[in-house]
Amino acid sequence: MPDAQPMTEAMYYVLLALRTPAHGYGLLGRIREISGGRLEMGPGTLYGILTRLKKEGLIELAAEDERRKTYALTESGRRALLEEYARLSRLVRDGAALKEEET
């Protein structure tokens, strides 16, 4: 993903939550849990992101019944998530000088 745009925070958390397959309502709770309650995502936002991620090949439909669709990361999605994590880690590492200035 070197040429790819950075992910939005919402996209990152959806992929992070899909490390284990889940359906939409379950994803909303998992995202809230992973973010420590900091990120509250509405269903419209979630389903828009799921549509985009599926179109980009980062997630796939793992199962579907009459009431729910369960989504899972693809291998490309897992790689994209790891690359975004590495990018964010570099940002934090590069900004460590700010912490040093405070002390």
Side-chain angles (χ1 to χ4, degrees):
M1 206 167 101
D3 296 349
Q5 294 292 319
M7 287 182 193
T8 66
E9 181 179 25
M11 287 173 64
Y12 178 75
Y13 274 96
V14 169
L15 290 177
L16 198 57
L18 280 172
R19 289 174 297 154
T20 304
H23 57 82
Y25 183 75
L27 279 172
L28 292 174
R30 197 176 289 168
I31 290 165
R32 192 177 319 107
E33 182 182 322
I34 291 169
S35 70
R38 190 182 55 75
L39 185 59
E40 288 282 337
M41 189 178 299
T45 301
L46 175 64
Y47 286 104
I49 291 169
L50 289 173
T51 299
R52 178 178 173 182
L53 294 173
K54 189 170 181 243
K55 182 178 174 183
E56 293 177 5
L58 301 179
I59 65 170
E60 63 189 358
L61 196 57
E64 183 175 12
D65 64 30
E66 57 192 45
R67 293 181 39 213
R68 296 183 185 171
K69 293 180 180 179
T70 299
Y71 297 92
L73 282 179
T74 62
E75 189 54 41
S76 294
R78 186 168 303 285
R79 276 193 314 273
L81 178 59
L82 289 169
E83 289 169 7
E84 182 66 1
Y85 174 76
R87 186 189 75 80
L88 293 170
S89 295
R90 286 189 304 274
L91 289 176
V92 171
R93 185 185 62 236
D94 294 348
L98 293 170
K99 187 109 171 129
E100 294 168 10
E101 290 173 5
E102 289 178 356
T103 57

